Amino acid sequence: MHNATSGAGARGAFTPGTLALVVGVFLVQLGFLLSYIGSFHHPDPQGIPVAVVAPQQAADRLDGLPGHPLEPTVVKDEQAARERVEQRDAEGAYVMDRRGGQDTLLVASAAGGPQAQALRRVGEKVAAGQDRRLKVVDIAPSGDRDYESLTAFYLIVGWLVGGYLLASLLGVVAGTRPARPGAGALRLAGVAVYSVLSGLGGAIVVDPVLHALPHHFVALWWLGALLVFATAACTMALEVFCGIVGIGLAVIIFVVLGNPSAGGAFQKHLIPSFWRAIGDWIPTGAGTTAVRNIVYFSGNALGTPLLVLAVWAVAGTVLLLVGSVRRREPGLTLPL
């Protein structure tokens, strides 16, 4: 009798639904490997926007380099070139000295160390090919405690993890679909409070505790709150329409696709075109860019990343509330 019961229990464990979940996890794992290795295994500069202080003929030579590593725009002088970098219209600048044999390359390692290094390598080859010397000037270096400007990325990842883990926990404990719109609104209110506290916690860690990103406490706090809320709201919306599978979809969006394309380890102009195309429109990439622009570039070019985060937050909120109106499937869940 005991053996028969055990056999029935084992057969019950391997239901079609369980098998589908296992296959889903396996596919997410393969997607994780493909996404990370595919984007990082061969970083190669492609179309890095640079300001050029030189005759148009020289700019055309830069534009025609093998592999098209640079996307040059001619500007009138070095000050204009610096402004384009600081305002995030360019990632670097090549300044040709027409009176001597030494050119100057302006880089901004705060936007990403690997990208600055790639610009340096390209610039050195260009100067050597013209029998000229090259001086490299980092006009926006990352902080002493922010190696390769990686802190922004890991701060964003930490906030994102908190957002989708909270939503996942609520889905498991309280049900993936709120019982009514009022319950959905209450859940969102709780997430909002958590998001404000989460943003505060992250800002405390990177500023007064570790001094990795100092002097921008309030701006980082509220950026973190927006990011966590957007992540959690979208994860809950996915759960409403897809059930527990929505958690896996959130992982695919925010981690499998979002992390490699965010510009953390390698910036967008160093990774293949697919990841380069999606990075700015996923909260991971938008958040990483926003943190760097707040800390190192005087808040320039914040409009697009903040708009992206706001759109995700609003979309998640609306879809969660709309999904709460749909007829609830019977099942044993808590009322919230």
Side-chain angles (χ1 to χ4, degrees), residues 58-126:
D60 291 341
R61 285 199 299 269
L62 294 178
D63 193 30
L65 290 173
H68 191 60
L70 305 179
E71 188 72 43
T73 299
V74 176
V75 297
K76 62 179 181 178
D77 54 27
E78 182 175 337
Q79 181 60 34
R82 285 176 175 266
E83 289 176 357
R84 284 187 67 85
V85 175
E86 292 166 354
Q87 293 171 6
R88 310 312 299 130
D89 294 321
E91 298 296 341
Y94 194 96
V95 182
M96 179 177 289
D97 184 358
R98 303 184 189 185
R99 296 172 297 178
Q102 178 173 275
D103 299 336
T104 301
L105 177 67
L106 306 179
V107 299
S109 63
Q115 179 173 257
Q117 295 163 15
L119 280 173
R120 178 171 189 155
R121 289 192 294 269
V122 173
E124 288 173 344
K125 289 182 180 179
V126 169

Side-chain angles (χ1 to χ4, degrees), residues 157-212:
V157 168
W159 275 329
L160 279 166
V161 169
Y164 70 70
L165 282 183
L166 173 66
S168 302
L169 178 64
L170 289 174
V172 171
V173 173
T176 57
R177 185 183 303 165
R180 57 193 183 281
L186 182 60
R187 192 176 294 192
L188 284 168
V191 166
V193 173
Y194 175 90
S195 299
V196 172
L197 295 176
S198 181
L200 175 62
I204 290 173
V205 168
V206 297
D207 190 352
V209 174
L210 298 180
H211 305 288

Side-chain angles (χ1 to χ4, degrees), residues 3-307:
N3 290 340
T5 302
S6 300
R11 288 191 298 273
F14 291 99
T15 63
T18 302
L19 179 61
L21 288 175
V22 171
V23 171
V25 170
F26 179 71
L27 293 176
V28 170
Q29 178 186 16
L30 290 182
F32 187 97
L33 294 172
L34 176 62
S35 189
Y36 275 69
I37 298 173
S39 60
F40 292 162
H41 77 289
H42 183 58
D44 184 36
Q46 305 164 62
I48 301 176
V50 295
V52 178
V53 183
Q56 185 62 51
Q57 183 179 6
D60 291 341
R61 285 199 299 269
L62 294 178
D63 193 30
L65 290 173
H68 191 60
L70 305 179
E71 188 72 43
T73 299
V74 176
V75 297
K76 62 179 181 178
D77 54 27
E78 182 175 337
Q79 181 60 34
R82 285 176 175 266
E83 289 176 357
R84 284 187 67 85
V85 175
E86 292 166 354
Q87 293 171 6
R88 310 312 299 130
D89 294 321
E91 298 296 341
Y94 194 96
V95 182
M96 179 177 289
D97 184 358
R98 303 184 189 185
R99 296 172 297 178
Q102 178 173 275
D103 299 336
T104 301
L105 177 67
L106 306 179
V107 299
S109 63
Q115 179 173 257
Q117 295 163 15
L119 280 173
R120 178 171 189 155
R121 289 192 294 269
V122 173
E124 288 173 344
K125 289 182 180 179
V126 169
Q130 301 296 317
D131 293 323
R132 301 176 67 85
R133 301 184 305 276
L134 185 70
K135 178 177 69 173
V136 180
V137 179
D138 192 346
I139 63 174
S142 58
D144 294 338
R145 300 192 181 188
D146 181 17
Y147 178 73
E148 301 282 24
S149 194
L150 283 170
T151 301
F153 172 65
Y154 289 114
L155 175 62
I156 293 302
V157 168
W159 275 329
L160 279 166
V161 169
Y164 70 70
L165 282 183
L166 173 66
S168 302
L169 178 64
L170 289 174
V172 171
V173 173
T176 57
R177 185 183 303 165
R180 57 193 183 281
L186 182 60
R187 192 176 294 192
L188 284 168
V191 166
V193 173
Y194 175 90
S195 299
V196 172
L197 295 176
S198 181
L200 175 62
I204 290 173
V205 168
V206 297
D207 190 352
V209 174
L210 298 180
H211 305 288
L213 301 175
H215 312 309
H216 298 84
F217 183 87
V218 174
L220 293 179
W221 174 4
W222 291 105
L223 174 68
L226 175 60
L227 179 81
V228 174
F229 182 84
T231 307
C234 287
T235 302
M236 290 191 297
L238 288 170
E239 291 175 335
V240 165
F241 288 95
C242 304
I244 205 71
V245 174
I247 299 174
L249 295 176
V251 171
I252 291 173
I253 294 170
F254 301 129
V255 179
V256 174
L257 296 176
N259 284 5
S261 64
F266 295 107
Q267 289 65 60
K268 64 181 290 186
H269 296 288
L270 303 180
I271 58 179
S273 57
F274 171 74
W275 290 271
R276 189 165 65 248
I278 66 174
D280 291 338
W281 312 111
I282 297 177
T284 327
T288 300
T289 298
V291 171
R292 286 173 174 161
N293 289 355
I294 287 170
V295 175
Y296 295 117
F297 297 99
S298 303
N300 290 321
L302 271 178
T304 297
L306 290 181
L307 178 61

